[in-house]
Coordinates of all heavy atoms in Angstrom, one line a residue:
M1 N 0.4 -13.8 -4.7 CA 1.5 -12.9 -4.6 C 2.3 -13.3 -3.3 O 1.7 -13.3 -2.3 CB 1.0 -11.5 -4.7 CG 2.2 -10.5 -4.8 SD 1.7 -8.8 -4.8 CE 1.3 -8.5 -6.5
S2 N 3.5 -13.4 -3.4 CA 4.4 -13.8 -2.3 C 4.6 -12.6 -1.4 O 4.3 -11.4 -1.8 CB 5.7 -14.4 -2.7 OG 6.5 -13.4 -3.3
I3 N 5.1 -12.8 -0.2 CA 5.4 -11.8 0.7 C 6.5 -10.8 0.2 O 6.4 -9.6 0.3 CB 5.8 -12.4 2.1 CG1 4.6 -13.0 2.7 CG2 6.4 -11.3 3.0 CD1 4.9 -13.8 4.0
A4 N 7.5 -11.4 -0.5 CA 8.5 -10.6 -1.1 C 8.0 -9.7 -2.2 O 8.4 -8.5 -2.2 CB 9.6 -11.5 -1.7
E5 N 7.1 -10.2 -3.0 CA 6.5 -9.4 -4.0 C 5.7 -8.2 -3.4 O 5.7 -7.1 -3.9 CB 5.6 -10.2 -5.0 CG 6.5 -11.2 -5.8 CD 5.6 -12.2 -6.6 OE1 4.5 -12.4 -6.1 OE2 6.1 -12.7 -7.6
K6 N 4.9 -8.6 -2.4 CA 4.1 -7.5 -1.7 C 5.0 -6.5 -1.1 O 4.7 -5.3 -1.2 CB 3.2 -8.2 -0.7 CG 2.1 -8.9 -1.2 CD 1.2 -9.5 -0.1 CE 0.2 -10.4 -0.6 NZ -0.6 -11.1 0.4
A7 N 6.1 -6.9 -0.5 CA 7.0 -6.0 0.1 C 7.6 -5.0 -0.9 O 7.7 -3.8 -0.6 CB 8.1 -6.7 0.8
I8 N 8.0 -5.5 -2.1 CA 8.6 -4.6 -3.1 C 7.5 -3.6 -3.6 O 7.8 -2.5 -3.9 CB 9.3 -5.4 -4.2 CG1 10.2 -4.5 -5.0 CG2 8.3 -6.1 -5.1 CD1 11.5 -4.3 -4.4
V9 N 6.3 -4.1 -3.8 CA 5.2 -3.2 -4.2 C 5.0 -2.1 -3.2 O 4.8 -0.9 -3.5 CB 3.9 -4.0 -4.5 CG1 2.8 -3.1 -4.7 CG2 4.1 -4.9 -5.7
Y10 N 4.9 -2.5 -1.9 CA 4.7 -1.5 -0.8 C 5.8 -0.6 -0.7 O 5.7 0.6 -0.5 CB 4.4 -2.2 0.5 CG 3.1 -2.9 0.6 CD1 3.0 -4.1 1.3 CD2 2.0 -2.4 0.1 CE1 1.8 -4.8 1.4 CE2 0.7 -3.0 0.2 CZ 0.7 -4.2 0.8 OH -0.5 -4.8 1.0
A11 N 7.1 -1.0 -0.9 CA 8.2 -0.1 -0.9 C 8.1 0.9 -2.1 O 8.5 2.1 -1.9 CB 9.5 -1.0 -1.0
T12 N 7.7 0.4 -3.2 CA 7.5 1.4 -4.3 C 6.4 2.4 -4.0 O 6.6 3.6 -4.3 CB 7.1 0.6 -5.6 OG1 8.1 -0.4 -5.9 CG2 6.9 1.5 -6.8
L13 N 5.4 2.0 -3.4 CA 4.3 2.9 -3.0 C 4.8 3.9 -1.9 O 4.4 5.1 -2.0 CB 3.1 2.2 -2.6 CG 2.3 1.4 -3.6 CD1 1.2 0.5 -3.0 CD2 1.8 2.3 -4.7
I14 N 5.6 3.4 -1.0 CA 6.2 4.3 0.0 C 7.0 5.4 -0.6 O 6.9 6.6 -0.3 CB 7.0 3.5 1.1 CG1 6.0 2.7 1.9 CG2 7.8 4.4 1.9 CD1 6.7 1.7 2.8
L15 N 7.9 5.0 -1.5 CA 8.7 6.0 -2.2 C 7.9 7.0 -3.0 O 8.2 8.2 -3.0 CB 9.7 5.3 -3.1 CG 10.8 4.5 -2.4 CD1 11.6 3.7 -3.4 CD2 11.7 5.4 -1.6
A16 N 6.9 6.5 -3.7 CA 6.0 7.3 -4.5 C 5.2 8.3 -3.6 O 5.1 9.5 -3.9 CB 5.0 6.5 -5.3
D17 N 4.8 7.9 -2.4 CA 4.1 8.7 -1.5 C 4.9 9.8 -1.0 O 4.5 10.9 -0.7 CB 3.5 7.9 -0.4 CG 2.6 8.6 0.5 OD1 1.7 9.3 -0.1 OD2 2.7 8.6 1.7
D18 N 6.2 9.6 -0.8 CA 7.2 10.6 -0.4 C 7.8 11.4 -1.5 O 8.7 12.2 -1.3 CB 8.3 9.9 0.5 CG 7.8 9.4 1.8 OD1 6.8 9.9 2.3 OD2 8.5 8.6 2.4
N19 N 7.3 11.2 -2.7 CA 7.8 11.9 -3.9 C 9.3 11.7 -4.1 O 10.0 12.6 -4.4 CB 7.5 13.4 -3.9 CG 6.0 13.6 -4.0 OD1 5.3 12.9 -4.7 ND2 5.5 14.6 -3.3
V20 N 9.7 10.4 -3.9 CA 11.1 10.1 -4.1 C 11.2 9.1 -5.3 O 10.4 8.3 -5.5 CB 11.7 9.3 -2.8 CG1 13.1 8.9 -3.0 CG2 11.5 10.2 -1.6
D21 N 12.3 9.3 -6.1 CA 12.4 8.5 -7.3 C 12.6 7.1 -6.9 O 13.3 6.8 -5.9 CB 13.6 9.0 -8.1 CG 13.3 10.3 -8.8 OD1 12.1 10.6 -9.1 OD2 14.3 11.0 -9.1
V22 N 12.1 6.1 -7.6 CA 12.2 4.7 -7.3 C 13.5 4.2 -7.9 O 13.8 4.4 -9.1 CB 11.0 3.9 -8.0 CG1 11.2 2.4 -7.7 CG2 9.7 4.4 -7.4
S23 N 14.4 3.7 -7.0 CA 15.6 3.1 -7.4 C 15.9 1.8 -6.7 O 15.2 1.5 -5.7 CB 16.8 4.1 -7.1 OG 17.0 4.2 -5.7
A24 N 16.7 1.0 -7.3 CA 17.0 -0.3 -6.7 C 17.5 -0.2 -5.3 O 17.1 -1.0 -4.4 CB 17.9 -1.1 -7.6
D25 N 18.4 0.7 -5.1 CA 19.0 0.9 -3.7 C 18.0 1.3 -2.7 O 18.0 0.8 -1.6 CB 20.1 1.9 -3.8 CG 21.3 1.5 -4.7 OD1 21.5 0.3 -4.9 OD2 22.0 2.4 -5.2
K26 N 17.1 2.2 -3.1 CA 16.1 2.6 -2.1 C 15.1 1.5 -1.8 O 14.7 1.4 -0.6 CB 15.4 3.9 -2.6 CG 16.3 5.1 -2.7 CD 15.6 6.2 -3.4 CE 16.6 7.4 -3.5 NZ 16.1 8.5 -4.3
L27 N 14.7 0.8 -2.8 CA 13.8 -0.4 -2.6 C 14.4 -1.4 -1.7 O 13.8 -1.9 -0.8 CB 13.4 -1.0 -4.0 CG 12.5 -0.1 -4.9 CD1 12.4 -0.8 -6.2 CD2 11.2 0.1 -4.3
E28 N 15.7 -1.7 -1.9 CA 16.4 -2.6 -1.1 C 16.5 -2.2 0.3 O 16.3 -2.9 1.3 CB 17.8 -2.9 -1.7 CG 18.6 -4.0 -1.0 CD 19.9 -4.2 -1.6 OE1 20.3 -3.6 -2.6 OE2 20.6 -5.2 -1.1
A29 N 16.8 -0.9 0.5 CA 16.9 -0.3 1.9 C 15.5 -0.5 2.6 O 15.5 -0.8 3.8 CB 17.3 1.1 1.8
I30 N 14.5 -0.2 2.0 CA 13.1 -0.2 2.6 C 12.8 -1.7 3.0 O 12.3 -2.0 4.1 CB 12.0 0.4 1.8 CG1 12.3 1.9 1.7 CG2 10.7 0.1 2.3 CD1 11.3 2.6 0.7
T31 N 13.0 -2.6 2.1 CA 12.7 -4.0 2.4 C 13.6 -4.6 3.4 O 13.1 -5.4 4.2 CB 12.7 -4.9 1.1 OG1 14.0 -4.7 0.5 CG2 11.6 -4.4 0.2
R32 N 14.8 -4.2 3.5 CA 15.7 -4.7 4.5 C 15.3 -4.1 5.9 O 15.3 -4.8 6.9 CB 17.2 -4.3 4.3 CG 17.8 -5.2 3.3 CD 19.3 -5.0 3.3 NE 19.9 -5.8 2.3 CZ 21.2 -5.6 1.9 NH1 21.9 -4.8 2.4 NH2 21.6 -6.4 0.9
A33 N 14.9 -2.9 5.9 CA 14.4 -2.3 7.1 C 13.1 -2.9 7.7 O 12.9 -3.0 8.9 CB 14.2 -0.8 7.0
A34 N 12.4 -3.5 6.7 CA 11.1 -4.2 7.1 C 11.4 -5.6 7.5 O 10.5 -6.3 8.0 CB 10.2 -4.2 6.0
G35 N 12.6 -6.1 7.2 CA 13.0 -7.4 7.6 C 12.5 -8.5 6.6 O 12.3 -9.6 7.0
V36 N 12.3 -8.1 5.4 CA 11.8 -9.0 4.4 C 12.9 -9.4 3.4 O 13.6 -8.5 2.9 CB 10.6 -8.4 3.6 CG1 10.1 -9.4 2.5 CG2 9.5 -8.0 4.5
N37 N 13.1 -10.7 3.2 CA 14.1 -11.1 2.2 C 13.5 -11.1 0.8 O 12.5 -11.8 0.5 CB 14.6 -12.5 2.5 CG 15.3 -12.6 3.8 OD1 16.0 -11.6 4.2 ND2 15.2 -13.7 4.6
V38 N 14.1 -10.3 -0.1 CA 13.6 -10.2 -1.4 C 14.7 -10.5 -2.4 O 15.9 -10.1 -2.2 CB 13.1 -8.7 -1.7 CG1 12.6 -8.6 -3.2 CG2 12.0 -8.4 -0.8
E39 N 14.4 -11.3 -3.4 CA 15.5 -11.6 -4.4 C 15.9 -10.3 -5.1 O 15.1 -9.5 -5.4 CB 14.9 -12.6 -5.5 CG 14.6 -13.9 -4.9 CD 14.1 -14.9 -6.0 OE1 14.6 -14.8 -7.1 OE2 13.2 -15.7 -5.6
P40 N 17.2 -10.2 -5.3 CA 17.8 -8.9 -5.9 C 17.2 -8.6 -7.3 O 17.2 -7.4 -7.6 CB 19.3 -9.2 -6.0 CG 19.5 -10.3 -5.1 CD 18.3 -11.1 -5.0
I41 N 16.7 -9.5 -8.0 CA 16.2 -9.2 -9.3 C 15.0 -8.3 -9.3 O 14.8 -7.4 -10.2 CB 15.9 -10.5 -10.1 CG1 15.5 -10.2 -11.6 CG2 14.7 -11.2 -9.5 CD1 16.6 -9.8 -12.4
Y42 N 14.2 -8.4 -8.2 CA 13.0 -7.6 -8.1 C 13.4 -6.1 -8.0 O 12.7 -5.2 -8.5 CB 12.2 -8.0 -6.9 CG 11.4 -9.3 -7.1 CD1 11.7 -10.4 -6.4 CD2 10.4 -9.3 -8.0 CE1 10.9 -11.6 -6.5 CE2 9.6 -10.5 -8.2 CZ 9.9 -11.6 -7.5 OH 9.2 -12.7 -7.7
F43 N 14.5 -5.8 -7.3 CA 14.9 -4.4 -7.1 C 15.1 -3.7 -8.5 O 14.6 -2.6 -8.7 CB 16.1 -4.3 -6.2 CG 15.9 -4.8 -4.8 CD1 16.8 -5.8 -4.4 CD2 14.8 -4.5 -4.0 CE1 16.6 -6.4 -3.1 CE2 14.6 -5.0 -2.8 CZ 15.5 -6.0 -2.3
S44 N 15.9 -4.4 -9.3 CA 16.2 -3.8 -10.6 C 15.0 -3.8 -11.5 O 14.8 -2.9 -12.3 CB 17.4 -4.5 -11.2 OG 17.1 -5.9 -11.4
L45 N 14.1 -4.8 -11.4 CA 12.9 -4.8 -12.3 C 12.0 -3.7 -12.0 O 11.6 -3.0 -12.9 CB 12.2 -6.2 -12.1 CG 12.7 -7.4 -12.8 CD1 12.0 -8.6 -12.4 CD2 12.7 -7.2 -14.3
F46 N 11.8 -3.5 -10.7 CA 10.9 -2.4 -10.3 C 11.5 -1.0 -10.6 O 10.8 -0.1 -11.0 CB 10.4 -2.5 -8.9 CG 9.2 -3.4 -8.7 CD1 9.3 -4.7 -8.8 CD2 8.0 -2.8 -8.4 CE1 8.2 -5.5 -8.6 CE2 6.9 -3.6 -8.2 CZ 7.0 -5.0 -8.3
A47 N 12.8 -0.9 -10.4 CA 13.5 0.4 -10.6 C 13.4 0.7 -12.1 O 13.2 1.9 -12.5 CB 14.9 0.3 -10.2
K48 N 13.6 -0.3 -13.0 CA 13.5 0.0 -14.4 C 12.1 0.2 -14.9 O 11.9 1.0 -15.8 CB 14.1 -1.2 -15.2 CG 15.6 -1.3 -15.1 CD 16.1 -2.5 -15.9 CE 17.7 -2.6 -15.7 NZ 18.2 -3.8 -16.4
A49 N 11.2 -0.5 -14.3 CA 9.8 -0.3 -14.7 C 9.2 1.1 -14.4 O 8.4 1.7 -15.1 CB 8.9 -1.3 -14.0
F50 N 9.7 1.7 -13.3 CA 9.2 3.0 -12.8 C 10.2 4.1 -13.1 O 10.0 5.2 -12.6 CB 8.8 3.0 -11.4 CG 7.6 2.0 -11.1 CD1 7.7 0.8 -10.5 CD2 6.3 2.4 -11.6 CE1 6.7 0.0 -10.3 CE2 5.3 1.5 -11.4 CZ 5.4 0.3 -10.7
E51 N 11.2 3.9 -13.8 CA 12.3 4.9 -14.1 C 11.6 6.0 -14.9 O 11.1 5.8 -16.0 CB 13.4 4.3 -14.8 CG 14.5 5.2 -15.1 CD 15.7 4.5 -15.8 OE1 15.6 3.3 -16.1 OE2 16.7 5.2 -16.2
G52 N 11.7 7.2 -14.4 CA 11.2 8.4 -15.1 C 9.7 8.5 -15.1 O 9.1 9.3 -15.8
R53 N 9.0 7.7 -14.3 CA 7.5 7.7 -14.3 C 7.0 8.1 -13.0 O 7.7 7.8 -11.9 CB 7.0 6.3 -14.7 CG 7.3 5.9 -16.1 CD 6.6 4.6 -16.4 NE 6.9 4.3 -17.8 CZ 6.6 3.2 -18.3 NH1 6.0 2.2 -17.6 NH2 6.9 2.9 -19.6
D54 N 5.9 8.8 -13.0 CA 5.3 9.2 -11.7 C 4.3 8.1 -11.3 O 3.3 7.9 -12.0 CB 4.6 10.5 -11.9 CG 4.0 11.0 -10.6 OD1 4.3 10.5 -9.5 OD2 3.2 12.0 -10.7
V55 N 4.6 7.4 -10.2 CA 3.8 6.2 -9.8 C 2.4 6.8 -9.4 O 1.4 6.1 -9.7 CB 4.4 5.5 -8.6 CG1 3.6 4.4 -8.1 CG2 5.8 4.9 -9.0
N56 N 2.3 7.9 -8.7 CA 1.0 8.5 -8.3 C 0.2 8.7 -9.6 O -1.0 8.4 -9.6 CB 1.2 9.7 -7.5 CG 1.9 9.5 -6.2 OD1 1.6 8.4 -5.6 ND2 2.7 10.4 -5.8
E57 N 0.8 9.3 -10.6 CA 0.0 9.5 -11.8 C -0.5 8.2 -12.5 O -1.6 8.2 -13.0 CB 0.9 10.3 -12.8 CG 0.2 10.8 -14.0 CD -0.8 11.9 -13.7 OE1 -0.6 12.6 -12.7 OE2 -1.8 12.1 -14.4
L58 N 0.4 7.2 -12.5 CA 0.0 5.9 -13.0 C -1.2 5.3 -12.2 O -2.2 4.8 -12.8 CB 1.1 4.9 -12.9 CG 2.3 5.2 -13.9 CD1 3.4 4.2 -13.6 CD2 1.8 5.0 -15.3
L59 N -1.2 5.5 -10.9 CA -2.3 4.9 -10.1 C -3.6 5.7 -10.3 O -4.7 5.1 -10.3 CB -1.9 5.0 -8.6 CG -0.8 4.0 -8.2 CD1 -0.4 4.3 -6.8 CD2 -1.3 2.6 -8.4
L60 N -3.5 7.0 -10.5 CA -4.7 7.8 -10.7 C -5.3 7.6 -12.1 O -6.5 7.8 -12.3 CB -4.4 9.3 -10.5 CG -4.0 9.6 -9.0 CD1 -3.6 11.1 -9.0 CD2 -5.2 9.4 -8.1
N61 N -4.5 7.2 -13.1 CA -5.0 7.1 -14.5 C -5.1 5.7 -15.0 O -5.0 5.4 -16.1 CB -4.1 7.9 -15.4 CG -4.2 9.4 -15.1 OD1 -5.3 9.9 -14.8 ND2 -3.1 10.1 -15.2
V62 N -5.4 4.8 -14.1 CA -5.4 3.4 -14.5 C -6.6 3.1 -15.4 O -6.5 2.5 -16.4 CB -5.5 2.4 -13.2 CG1 -5.9 1.0 -13.6 CG2 -4.2 2.5 -12.4
G63 N -7.8 3.6 -15.1 CA -8.9 3.3 -15.9 C -9.2 4.3 -17.0 O -10.1 4.1 -17.8
S64 N -8.5 5.4 -17.0 CA -8.9 6.5 -18.0 C -8.6 6.0 -19.4 O -9.3 6.3 -20.3 CB -8.2 7.8 -17.7 OG -6.8 7.6 -17.8
A65 N -7.5 5.3 -19.7 CA -7.2 4.9 -21.0 C -8.2 3.8 -21.5 O -8.6 3.8 -22.7 CB -5.8 4.4 -21.1
A66 N -8.6 3.0 -20.6 CA -9.5 1.9 -21.0 C -10.9 2.4 -21.3 O -11.6 1.9 -22.1 CB -9.6 0.9 -19.8
A67 N -11.3 3.5 -20.6 CA -12.6 4.0 -20.8 C -12.6 4.8 -22.1 O -13.6 4.9 -22.7 CB -13.0 4.9 -19.6
A68 N -11.5 5.4 -22.5 CA -11.4 6.2 -23.7 C -11.4 5.4 -24.9 O -11.9 5.8 -26.0 CB -10.2 7.1 -23.7
A69 N -10.9 4.2 -24.9 CA -10.8 3.3 -26.0 C -12.2 2.9 -26.6 O -12.4 3.0 -27.8 CB -10.0 2.1 -25.7
P70 N -13.1 2.5 -25.8 CA -14.4 2.1 -26.4 C -15.1 3.4 -26.9 O -15.8 3.2 -27.9 CB -15.2 1.5 -25.2 CG -14.2 1.1 -24.2 CD -13.0 2.0 -24.4
A71 N -15.0 4.5 -26.3 CA -15.6 5.7 -26.8 C -15.1 6.1 -28.2 O -15.8 6.5 -29.1 CB -15.5 6.8 -25.8
A72 N -13.8 5.9 -28.3 CA -13.1 6.3 -29.6 C -13.6 5.3 -30.7 O -13.8 5.6 -31.8 CB -11.6 6.2 -29.5
G73 N -13.7 4.0 -30.3 CA -14.1 3.0 -31.2 C -15.5 3.2 -31.7 O -15.9 3.0 -32.9
A74 N -16.4 3.6 -30.8 CA -17.8 3.9 -31.2 C -17.9 5.1 -32.1 O -18.7 5.1 -33.0 CB -18.6 4.1 -29.9
A75 N -17.1 6.1 -31.8 CA -17.1 7.3 -32.7 C -16.6 7.0 -34.1 O -17.1 7.5 -35.1 CB -16.3 8.4 -32.0
A76 N -15.6 6.1 -34.1 CA -15.1 5.7 -35.5 C -16.0 4.8 -36.2 O -16.1 4.9 -37.4 CB -13.7 5.1 -35.3
A77 N -16.8 4.0 -35.5 CA -17.7 3.1 -36.2 C -18.8 3.8 -36.9 O -19.3 3.4 -37.9 CB -18.2 2.1 -35.2
G78 N -19.3 4.9 -36.3 CA -20.3 5.7 -37.0 C -21.7 5.0 -37.1 O -22.5 5.2 -36.2
D79 N -21.9 4.2 -38.1 CA -23.2 3.6 -38.3 C -23.3 2.2 -37.6 O -24.3 1.5 -37.9 CB -23.5 3.4 -39.8 CG -23.6 4.8 -40.5 OD1 -24.2 5.7 -39.8 OD2 -23.2 4.9 -41.6
A80 N -22.4 1.9 -36.8 CA -22.4 0.6 -36.1 C -23.7 0.4 -35.2 O -24.3 -0.7 -35.3 CB -21.2 0.4 -35.2
P81 N -24.2 1.4 -34.5 CA -25.4 1.2 -33.7 C -26.6 0.8 -34.6 O -27.4 0.0 -34.3 CB -25.6 2.5 -33.0 CG -24.3 3.2 -32.9 CD -23.6 2.7 -34.2
A82 N -26.7 1.4 -35.8 CA -27.8 1.2 -36.7 C -27.7 -0.3 -37.2 O -28.8 -1.0 -37.3 CB -27.9 2.1 -37.9
A83 N -26.5 -0.7 -37.5 CA -26.3 -2.1 -37.9 C -26.7 -3.1 -36.8 O -27.3 -4.1 -37.0 CB -24.9 -2.3 -38.4
A84 N -26.3 -2.7 -35.6 CA -26.5 -3.6 -34.4 C -28.0 -3.7 -34.2 O -28.6 -4.8 -33.9 CB -25.8 -3.1 -33.2
A85 N -28.8 -2.6 -34.3 CA -30.2 -2.6 -34.2 C -30.9 -3.5 -35.2 O -31.8 -4.2 -34.9 CB -30.8 -1.2 -34.2
A86 N -30.4 -3.4 -36.4 CA -30.9 -4.3 -37.5 C -30.7 -5.7 -37.2 O -31.6 -6.6 -37.5 CB -30.3 -3.9 -38.8
E87 N -29.5 -6.1 -36.7 CA -29.2 -7.5 -36.4 C -30.1 -8.0 -35.2 O -30.6 -9.1 -35.3 CB -27.8 -7.6 -36.0 CG -26.8 -7.7 -37.1 CD -25.4 -8.0 -36.7 OE1 -25.2 -8.8 -35.8 OE2 -24.5 -7.4 -37.3
E88 N -30.4 -7.1 -34.2 CA -31.3 -7.5 -33.1 C -32.7 -7.8 -33.6 O -33.3 -8.8 -33.2 CB -31.3 -6.4 -32.1 CG -30.1 -6.3 -31.2 CD -30.2 -5.3 -30.1 OE1 -31.4 -5.0 -29.7 OE2 -29.2 -4.7 -29.7
K89 N -33.2 -7.0 -34.5 CA -34.5 -7.2 -35.1 C -34.6 -8.5 -35.9 O -35.5 -9.2 -35.8 CB -34.9 -6.0 -36.0 CG -35.2 -4.8 -35.2 CD -35.7 -3.7 -36.1 CE -35.9 -2.4 -35.4 NZ -36.3 -1.3 -36.3
K90 N -33.5 -8.8 -36.6 CA -33.4 -10.0 -37.3 C -33.4 -11.2 -36.4 O -34.1 -12.2 -36.7 CB -32.1 -9.9 -38.2 CG -32.0 -11.1 -39.2 CD -30.8 -10.8 -40.1 CE -30.7 -11.8 -41.2 NZ -29.5 -11.7 -42.0
E91 N -32.6 -11.1 -35.4 CA -32.5 -12.2 -34.4 C -33.9 -12.5 -33.7 O -34.3 -13.6 -33.5 CB -31.5 -12.0 -33.4 CG -30.1 -12.1 -33.9 CD -29.0 -11.8 -32.8 OE1 -29.4 -11.7 -31.6 OE2 -27.9 -11.5 -33.2
E92 N -34.6 -11.4 -33.4 CA -35.9 -11.5 -32.7 C -36.9 -12.2 -33.7 O -37.7 -13.0 -33.3 CB -36.4 -10.1 -32.3 CG -35.7 -9.5 -31.1 CD -36.2 -8.2 -30.8 OE1 -37.2 -7.7 -31.4 OE2 -35.5 -7.5 -30.0
S93 N -36.8 -11.8 -35.0 CA -37.8 -12.4 -35.9 C -37.5 -13.9 -36.1 O -38.5 -14.6 -36.3 CB -37.8 -11.7 -37.2 OG -36.5 -11.8 -37.8
E94 N -36.3 -14.3 -36.0 CA -36.0 -15.7 -36.1 C -36.5 -16.5 -34.9 O -37.0 -17.6 -35.0 CB -34.5 -15.9 -36.2 CG -33.9 -15.5 -37.5 CD -32.4 -15.7 -37.6 OE1 -31.8 -16.2 -36.7 OE2 -31.8 -15.1 -38.6
E95 N -36.4 -15.9 -33.7 CA -36.9 -16.5 -32.5 C -38.4 -16.6 -32.6 O -39.0 -17.6 -32.2 CB -36.5 -15.7 -31.3 CG -35.0 -15.7 -30.9 CD -34.7 -14.8 -29.8 OE1 -35.6 -14.3 -29.1 OE2 -33.5 -14.6 -29.5
E96 N -39.1 -15.6 -33.0 CA -40.5 -15.6 -33.2 C -41.0 -16.7 -34.2 O -42.0 -17.4 -33.9 CB -41.0 -14.3 -33.6 CG -40.9 -13.2 -32.5 CD -41.3 -11.9 -33.0 OE1 -41.8 -11.7 -34.1 OE2 -41.1 -10.9 -32.2
S97 N -40.2 -16.9 -35.2 CA -40.6 -17.9 -36.2 C -40.6 -19.3 -35.6 O -41.4 -20.2 -36.0 CB -39.7 -17.8 -37.4 OG -38.4 -18.2 -37.1
D98 N -39.7 -19.6 -34.7 CA -39.6 -20.9 -34.0 C -40.9 -21.1 -33.2 O -41.4 -22.2 -33.1 CB -38.4 -21.0 -33.1 CG -37.1 -21.1 -33.9 OD1 -37.2 -21.4 -35.1 OD2 -36.0 -21.0 -33.3
D99 N -41.3 -20.0 -32.5 CA -42.5 -20.2 -31.7 C -43.8 -20.4 -32.6 O -44.7 -21.2 -32.2 CB -42.7 -18.9 -30.9 CG -41.7 -18.7 -29.8 OD1 -41.1 -19.8 -29.4 OD2 -41.5 -17.6 -29.3
D100 N -43.8 -19.8 -33.7 CA -44.9 -20.0 -34.6 C -45.1 -21.4 -35.2 O -46.1 -21.9 -35.4 CB -44.8 -19.0 -35.8 CG -44.9 -17.5 -35.4 OD1 -45.5 -17.3 -34.3 OD2 -44.5 -16.7 -36.1
M101 N -43.9 -22.1 -35.2 CA -43.9 -23.4 -35.8 C -44.3 -24.5 -34.7 O -44.3 -25.7 -35.0 CB -42.6 -23.8 -36.4 CG -42.2 -22.9 -37.5 SD -40.5 -23.3 -38.0 CE -40.7 -23.6 -39.7
G102 N -44.4 -24.0 -33.5 CA -44.7 -25.0 -32.4 C -43.5 -25.6 -31.8 O -43.6 -26.6 -31.1
F103 N -42.4 -25.0 -31.9 CA -41.2 -25.6 -31.3 C -40.8 -24.8 -30.1 O -39.8 -24.2 -29.9 CB -40.0 -25.5 -32.3 CG -40.1 -26.3 -33.5 CD1 -40.1 -25.8 -34.8 CD2 -40.3 -27.7 -33.4 CE1 -40.3 -26.5 -35.9 CE2 -40.4 -28.5 -34.5 CZ -40.4 -27.9 -35.8
G104 N -41.7 -24.7 -29.2 CA -41.5 -24.0 -27.9 C -40.6 -24.8 -27.0 O -40.3 -26.0 -27.2
L105 N -40.1 -24.1 -26.0 CA -39.2 -24.7 -25.0 C -39.9 -25.9 -24.3 O -39.2 -26.9 -24.0 CB -38.7 -23.7 -24.1 CG -37.7 -24.1 -23.0 CD1 -36.4 -24.6 -23.7 CD2 -37.4 -23.0 -22.1
F106 N -41.1 -25.7 -23.9 CA -41.8 -26.7 -23.1 C -42.8 -27.6 -23.9 O -43.7 -28.2 -23.3 CB -42.5 -26.1 -21.9 CG -41.5 -25.4 -21.0 CD1 -41.4 -24.0 -21.0 CD2 -40.6 -26.1 -20.2 CE1 -40.5 -23.3 -20.2 CE2 -39.7 -25.5 -19.4 CZ -39.6 -24.1 -19.4
D107 N -42.8 -27.6 -25.2 CA -43.7 -28.4 -25.9 C -43.4 -29.9 -26.0 O -42.3 -30.3 -26.0 CB -43.8 -27.9 -27.4 CG -44.5 -26.5 -27.4 OD1 -45.2 -26.2 -26.4 OD2 -44.3 -25.8 -28.4

């Protein structure tokens, strides 16, 4: 990540910390005050990305959606754990059969 990209991210976090809406003008003012040259496209990109969104809320809930997805998938699957257990037993029995035939790793 370049210095300009880091500066625009930090400017966004500064505005969010002060409970100020993220806008292109405010981001530009902060980065200019810091003495960092940032391409003008970044100001509008970040302003549009965070328009009407609470940055603090986004930061606090980064992992909550990802953690809920596997739980929902497991609940919907229902009998998936039983099927997985049956597959594990099947795989174990195949491994044991190789040992019985004398095809061990160090033979």
Side-chain angles (χ1 to χ4, degrees):
M1 188 183 273
S2 70
I3 293 174
E5 291 171 335
K6 288 179 186 177
I8 197 81
V9 169
Y10 289 141
T12 304
L13 293 174
I14 289 169
L15 291 172
D17 190 47
D18 289 339
N19 294 324
V20 177
D21 291 331
V22 178
S23 70
D25 296 333
K26 292 174 185 172
L27 291 171
E28 185 176 4
I30 291 173
T31 54
R32 278 193 188 170
V36 179
N37 293 326
V38 179
E39 293 181 35
I41 188 72
Y42 285 115
F43 301 126
S44 60
L45 283 174
F46 273 75
K48 287 180 184 178
F50 294 109
E51 182 178 359
R53 295 187 178 170
D54 183 14
V55 177
N56 294 324
E57 189 69 27
L58 289 172
L59 291 172
L60 292 174
N61 293 324
V62 169
S64 65
D79 293 326
E87 281 188 37
E88 282 184 30
K89 288 181 183 178
K90 189 176 186 180
E91 288 177 14
E92 288 177 11
S93 64
E94 289 177 10
E95 290 176 10
E96 291 174 5
S97 65
D98 289 344
D99 291 337
D100 295 338
M101 298 174 125
F103 297 118
L105 182 62
F106 298 107
D107 289 340

